[in-house]
Amino acid sequence: LTDARLYVLLSGAGCQAALDWTIAEAAAGGADIVQLREKTLPDGELLGRARDVRRWTRKAGVLFIVNDRPDIARLADADGVHLGEDDLPVREARRILGPDALIGVSTHNLEQVRRAVLEGASYLGVGPTFASATKQFSELAGLEFVRVASAETSLPAFVLGGVTTDNIEQVVAAGGKRVAVGAAVGQAEEPRLVAAALRRALRD
Amino acid sequence: LTDARLYVLLSGAGCQAALDWTIAEAAAGGADIVQLREKTLPDGELLGRARDVRRWTRKAGVLFIVNDRPDIARLADADGVHLGEDDLPVREARRILGPDALIGVSTHNLEQVRRAVLEGASYLGVGPTFASATKQFSELAGLEFVRVASAETSLPAFVLGGVTTDNIEQVVAAGGKRVAVGAAVGQAEEPRLVAAALRRALRD
């Protein structure tokens, strides 16, 4: 996790092409982590898909995180779970997943950053930074939050929310060292090239 | 579980009065099991409510089952989980909850009854039997299914779907020995009296 720079959030319906191909291409371009973010599948189907993604991510050599659901993460043998504001608290998710699981938390302000650190989060999502094609945000935390969050914590912090190849230089300039993207890779004609461009900007 | 006759499905919003009072009254009237059936709460709130209901059901001396979610059931120390067609399979839920948990499965035809038995369900829901005030059914399995399901399995089988004090005699006449009700108790002005009337019909 500490080496991870590029985190990709994908869903079956949100991908331009097939999910397995998109994962393989994103990984070939330099993605380190894939999150399965399915918001509408019934649980039985969700588990089936999570197990598919576990197989594909293992083959691609990237970490696999399940959105929202620690039970699905555990049953699919994922590396961890990502929790939003409405989800279970970190401590509760860890009771399901055990001490070694990666548990990520979305944060939108410094108070949430501090709480996530105290609760034992493994990494943070930091944003939303820009308007996004995947998700409607009520308020952007913006680049200023990237600056203060990066300075506040030593946990791996992935800047997210509308990050693309067009604005990643601004993220890096604000102190962002890691990003999480959805549509930028999932909706790309050539996910590998986009992932590679993002990864390159983060290396510089 | 083997002694249980009356199973009550409740949600906070679906109760005429406060949930804690309704649980206490239902138990006083003879309910043996309470299921928390919340379909719209975010996970964090759902866990909080499940822990409240765990406290209230313990005080009332009734079993506590969580609908759909084995992770919430485990974190709230519930006695088990109830799974519908779109939920996780019994075996997967048991991996989260352990061998002693009560795992119930909704069944609508004999094939589902046999599958649930083979997968290790602890009890069955059998229905839908009548049109319901709580849930829209696409097709009723009816009293004929109560007859064949009761004859097919020795697992505790709770007849559900629109069961009320008006039609419980038909359920009993069809071989039903246990029922699960929602609105009949949750929406009652006097849940205790309704529960007692249902329980009496099942004893006869």
Side-chain angles (χ1 to χ4, degrees):
Chain A
L1 179 70
T2 47
D3 296 332
R5 293 288 176 273
L6 179 58
Y7 184 145
V8 181
L9 292 70
L10 299 173
S11 67
C15 282
Q16 170 87 359
L19 189 51
D20 55 344
W21 180 82
T22 307
I23 289 170
E25 288 293 299
D32 306 292
I33 308 180
V34 165
Q35 177 188 127
L36 179 63
R37 185 175 181 281
E38 298 284 358
K39 292 289 191 183
T40 56
L41 287 185
D43 288 3
E45 285 179 50
L46 176 59
L47 176 58
R49 180 155 304 170
R51 287 188 165 146
D52 286 341
V53 172
R54 171 69 292 182
R55 222 168 44 244
W56 300 329
T57 49
R58 199 160 265 151
K59 195 170 161 197
V62 298
L63 291 169
F64 170 40
I65 303 287
V66 170
N67 194 38
D68 299 343
R69 294 285 299 270
D71 53 344
I72 302 291
R74 176 169 151 175
L75 293 171
D77 195 27
D79 297 297
V81 71
H82 187 88
L83 303 170
E85 282 182 276
D86 287 340
D87 295 324
L88 293 173
V90 174
R91 279 186 237 275
E92 306 293 351
R94 208 172 274 297
R95 287 179 59 196
I96 301 287
L97 284 169
D100 297 332
L102 303 179
I103 301 186
V105 177
S106 298
T107 65
H108 314 301
N109 56 53
L110 266 190
E111 191 197 324
Q112 291 174 343
V113 169
R114 288 171 189 147
R115 194 187 315 144
V117 172
L118 288 172
E119 287 186 344
S122 313
Y123 73 86
L124 305 177
V126 163
T129 310
F130 306 105
S132 156
T134 313
K135 195 171 166 179
Q136 296 288 331
F137 302 121
S138 54
E139 204 180 344
L140 294 182
L143 288 165
E144 182 53 29
F145 181 48
V146 173
R147 276 185 206 97
V148 295
S150 304
E152 174 75 20
T153 175
S154 58
L155 282 186
F158 294 85
V159 177
L160 57 80
V163 176
T164 65
T165 50
D166 288 337
N167 59 31
I168 191 158
E169 297 299 344
Q170 297 176 59
V171 172
V172 172
K177 294 186 173 58
R178 311 163 197 260
V179 299
V181 299
V185 165
Q187 291 285 320
E189 294 285 340
E190 306 199 70
R192 184 195 298 227
L193 297 186
V194 175
L198 292 168
R199 196 66 163 83
R200 213 155 36 231
L202 293 166
R203 272 210 192 92
D204 288 343
Chain B
L1 180 68
T2 46
D3 295 334
R5 295 286 177 273
L6 179 58
Y7 184 144
V8 180
L9 291 71
L10 298 172
S11 68
C15 282
Q16 169 89 358
L19 189 52
D20 55 345
W21 180 82
T22 307
I23 289 170
E25 289 294 299
D32 307 290
I33 308 179
V34 165
Q35 178 188 128
L36 179 64
R37 184 175 181 282
E38 298 284 359
K39 293 289 192 182
T40 56
L41 288 184
D43 288 2
E45 286 180 50
L46 176 59
L47 177 58
R49 179 154 304 169
R51 286 185 167 148
D52 287 340
V53 173
R54 170 71 291 183
R55 223 168 45 244
W56 300 331
T57 49
R58 199 162 264 151
K59 195 170 161 196
V62 297
L63 292 169
F64 171 39
I65 303 288
V66 170
N67 194 37
D68 298 345
R69 293 283 298 269
D71 52 345
I72 302 291
R74 176 168 150 177
L75 292 170
D77 196 26
D79 297 297
V81 71
H82 187 87
L83 304 170
E85 280 183 277
D86 287 341
D87 297 323
L88 292 173
V90 175
R91 279 186 237 274
E92 307 293 351
R94 208 172 273 296
R95 286 179 60 195
I96 301 286
L97 284 170
D100 297 333
L102 303 179
I103 302 186
V105 176
S106 299
T107 64
H108 314 301
N109 56 53
L110 266 190
E111 192 196 324
Q112 291 174 343
V113 170
R114 288 172 188 148
R115 194 187 315 144
V117 172
L118 288 173
E119 286 185 345
S122 313
Y123 73 85
L124 306 177
V126 163
T129 309
F130 306 105
S132 155
T134 312
K135 194 171 168 180
Q136 297 288 332
F137 302 121
S138 54
E139 204 180 344
L140 295 181
L143 288 166
E144 183 53 29
F145 181 47
V146 172
R147 276 185 206 99
V148 294
S150 305
E152 174 75 18
T153 174
S154 58
L155 281 186
F158 294 86
V159 177
L160 57 80
V163 176
T164 67
T165 49
D166 288 337
N167 58 31
I168 191 159
E169 297 300 344
Q170 297 175 58
V171 172
V172 172
K177 294 185 172 58
R178 312 163 196 260
V179 299
V181 299
V185 166
Q187 291 286 320
E189 293 286 339
E190 306 199 72
R192 183 195 298 229
L193 297 186
V194 174
L198 292 168
R199 195 70 163 81
R200 214 156 37 232
L202 293 166
R203 272 210 193 92
D204 287 345

